[in-house]
Amino acid sequence: MSPRVAVVGGGIGGLASAAMLHRAGIEATVYEQAGALTEVGAGLVVSPNAARLLRRMGQLDRFAERAVPLRVGWEFRRWADGRVLFSQRLGELCERRYGEQCYVAHRADLLDVLRAAVPEASLRLGRRLVGMRVGPDGVELDFGDGSRAVADAVVGADGVHTTVGRFVAEAGPPRLSGLCAYRCLVPADRVPAFALRPVQTLWLGPDHHLVHYPIRAGALVNIVAFGPARGWQAESWSAEGRIEDLRAEFAGWADELTALLAGADRVGRWALLDRDPLPRWTRGPVALLGDAAHPMFPFFAQGAAQAIEDAAVLAGCLARRPDDPAAAVRRYEAIRRPRVGRVQALSRDRQQSNHLPDGPAQRARDSSFAGEDPLTHNGWIYGYDAEHAAS
Ligand SMILES: Cc1cc2nc3c(=O)[nH]c(=O)nc-3n(C[C@H](O)[C@H](O)[C@H](O)COP(=O)(O)OP(=O)(O)OC[C@H]3O[C@@H](n4cnc5c(N)ncnc54)[C@H](O)[C@@H]3O)c2cc1C
């Protein structure tokens, strides 16, 4: 018999879980605290390892209408003069090697297609989980509006501040990392032409780096800039920063970058959080997934992709052991932990290497780019088939 699955959180990981479970013939209900799934966030990367799962959900074509495939590729530039330190063409090569493109998109466009893969009747909005326990008939969930639910298995996809994580592993609150992100969406008619190319461009400089790429079929350019938090503590996608603070952080950088920032008039500012790895991701038939299980710095652009992979593996494990959800989620954790740990470590290392001050270490880093082929040496990320891993 199919287990009743409750998914807590209707973000990328939660919606992907419900979609993959539904596809596997397992009934799943999503409980999301927000009253509406609104257009929050900015750009994100959907690499081939996630794109292949969107295709299997039947959603890739719809997603590709609004996303931008990185046909030209990746480019690294030096902060002071804009010199190109490294570039790699992706386009057909990526597709030939991994069967899918690498896309950049608005978070809302990804959420939209994931939501389309979940039956409307399976979504419960305005349900904030406030407590849970094991009862005689399954896992009992209490919501802030006084309602309750009972499930045979629970997926905690409730993000970095996870409530389910407190039940599973006594997860403490995340801590401030000392870094913050500035995020802008700039209309295409206000940016220099170089920023409209289908390229993910990364500018590297002392204590800072900045990434930009076009989204929304080229109608907007997403800019995300990282630097010292300088006491900023708000961690919310609706928190506004000051455009003059962003420009001050990047004062003295290359003229092209200054011209790009001149087109921005609103900026979101978000303190980056960090959390030590949890001792476990599962307890009985309850499993953590996505940022709830493994928050990561966004420097390798894999947060969303890893959450979608988690969802595919979890659904595969539950489909194989519908009679024993606790065994299924233990298998999910065993499959996912080593891989995600490796991606987390890579993301963390990038903080230091992206922010080197000018000097011998920076010059050694820049000259090492000459022999780089990230499309190949990150093949273990892009070539991974999460459904295959769970079969
Ligand atoms: C609002 C928002 C905007 C983001 N925008 C971007 C972006 O533009 N670019 C980018 O690269 N990354 C973005 N991220 C991060 C990225 O989406 C995640 O790293 C990644 O996709 C993992 O997703 P997740 O589903 O695990 O967690 P999240 O995306 O954090 O989703 C968690 C969901 O759980 C819900 N939730 C939390 N607590 C409860 C509770 N107690 N009861 C019920 N529901 C609960 C939240 O409302 C949220 O919808 C954003 C995250 C958030 C929350």
Side-chain angles (χ1 to χ4, degrees):
M1 204 179 71
S2 170
R4 297 162 297 171
V5 182
V7 178
V8 181
I12 290 165
L15 290 176
S17 300
M20 293 311 262
L21 286 163
H22 175 66
R23 185 166 169 266
I26 296 173
E27 197 185 308
T29 306
V30 179
Y31 298 94
E32 163 59 42
Q33 65 182 359
L37 297 180
T38 49
E39 187 161 308
V40 281
L44 44 69
V45 176
V46 173
S47 47
N49 44 318
R52 83 171 46 90
L53 299 172
L54 293 184
R55 184 183 294 285
R56 303 219 183 114
M57 288 177 209
Q59 295 298 327
L60 189 68
D61 290 346
R62 183 171 162 174
F63 175 68
E65 283 169 18
R66 307 206 84 190
V68 173
L70 290 175
R71 290 202 182 279
V72 176
W74 292 314
E75 191 172 273
F76 292 2
R77 289 179 164 226
R78 177 166 159 72
W79 71 280
D81 53 12
R83 185 158 50 86
V84 175
L85 301 169
F86 165 77
S87 68
Q88 182 169 37
R89 266 196 99 76
L90 294 186
E92 292 83 54
L93 186 59
C94 186
E95 203 158 14
R96 215 169 39 241
R97 202 164 285 171
Y98 303 118
E100 300 292 352
Q101 297 274 357
C102 190
Y103 296 89
V104 281
H106 196 296
R107 180 176 182 271
D109 294 339
L110 177 59
L111 281 174
D112 198 41
V113 297
L114 293 174
R115 186 182 180 160
V118 177
E120 197 60 35
S122 307
L123 278 179
R124 306 274 190 282
L125 299 178
R127 298 286 185 89
R128 185 170 60 86
L129 182 81
V130 291
M132 58 192 290
R133 76 197 75 77
V134 178
D137 188 34
V139 184
E140 298 172 357
L141 306 171
D142 299 327
F143 299 99
D145 62 357
S147 61
R148 301 177 74 184
V150 180
D152 302 312
V154 175
V155 179
D158 52 347
V160 65
H161 299 284
T162 176
T163 301
V164 182
R166 289 208 288 274
F167 172 85
V168 168
E170 285 150 26
R175 58 176 179 276
L176 295 164
S177 68
L179 293 168
C180 79
Y182 292 89
R183 314 208 62 151
C184 310
L185 292 174
V186 190
D189 60 3
R190 298 220 317 247
V191 303
F194 77 91
L196 294 174
R197 298 169 304 150
V199 175
Q200 183 184 5
T201 306
L202 192 92
W203 294 75
L204 301 175
D207 295 325
H208 297 76
H209 76 281
L210 183 149
V211 182
H212 59 85
Y213 44 78
I215 58 170
R216 285 266 152 94
L220 294 172
V221 169
N222 177 71
I223 303 173
V224 54
F226 300 97
R230 306 198 195 282
W232 185 267
Q233 298 198 359
E235 188 263 345
S236 145
W237 286 86
S238 47
E240 293 245 350
R242 297 184 332 150
I243 195 77
E244 52 271 35
D245 292 337
L246 168 61
R247 291 194 184 124
E249 292 290 346
F250 290 84
W253 286 47
D255 291 346
E256 284 160 295
L257 186 72
T258 305
L260 174 62
L261 293 179
D265 57 5
R266 289 185 66 186
V267 60
R269 189 169 172 186
W270 179 32
L272 292 190
L273 299 180
D274 200 5
R275 205 180 64 200
D276 291 331
L278 294 175
R280 58 180 176 275
W281 295 359
T282 61
R283 177 174 161 192
V286 181
L288 300 173
L289 170 153
D291 281 8
H294 47 70
M296 56 181 76
F297 285 154
F299 307 147
F300 221 79
Q302 277 290 316
Q306 293 303 310
I308 296 172
E309 284 187 4
D310 285 349
V313 172
L314 187 67
C317 290
L318 277 166
R320 273 174 65 122
R321 292 300 306 270
D323 56 314
D324 190 348
V329 303
R330 277 198 304 276
R331 180 164 173 259
Y332 150 80
E333 178 173 357
I335 294 172
R336 293 301 294 157
R337 235 182 207 284
R339 172 170 172 84
V340 177
R342 209 173 151 195
V343 178
Q344 265 177 312
L346 272 179
S347 308
R348 187 176 292 278
D349 291 351
R350 279 259 174 116
Q351 176 191 347
Q352 211 213 347
S353 68
N354 282 359
H355 290 181
L356 289 172
D358 282 359
Q362 162 265 325
R363 284 194 293 277
R365 177 199 67 196
D366 291 355
S367 42
S368 75
F369 290 143
E372 282 272 310
D373 175 7
L375 191 64
T376 303
H377 72 233
N378 293 325
W380 65 275
I381 298 181
Y382 307 134
Y384 182 82
D385 186 333
E387 282 199 310
H388 181 71
S391 64

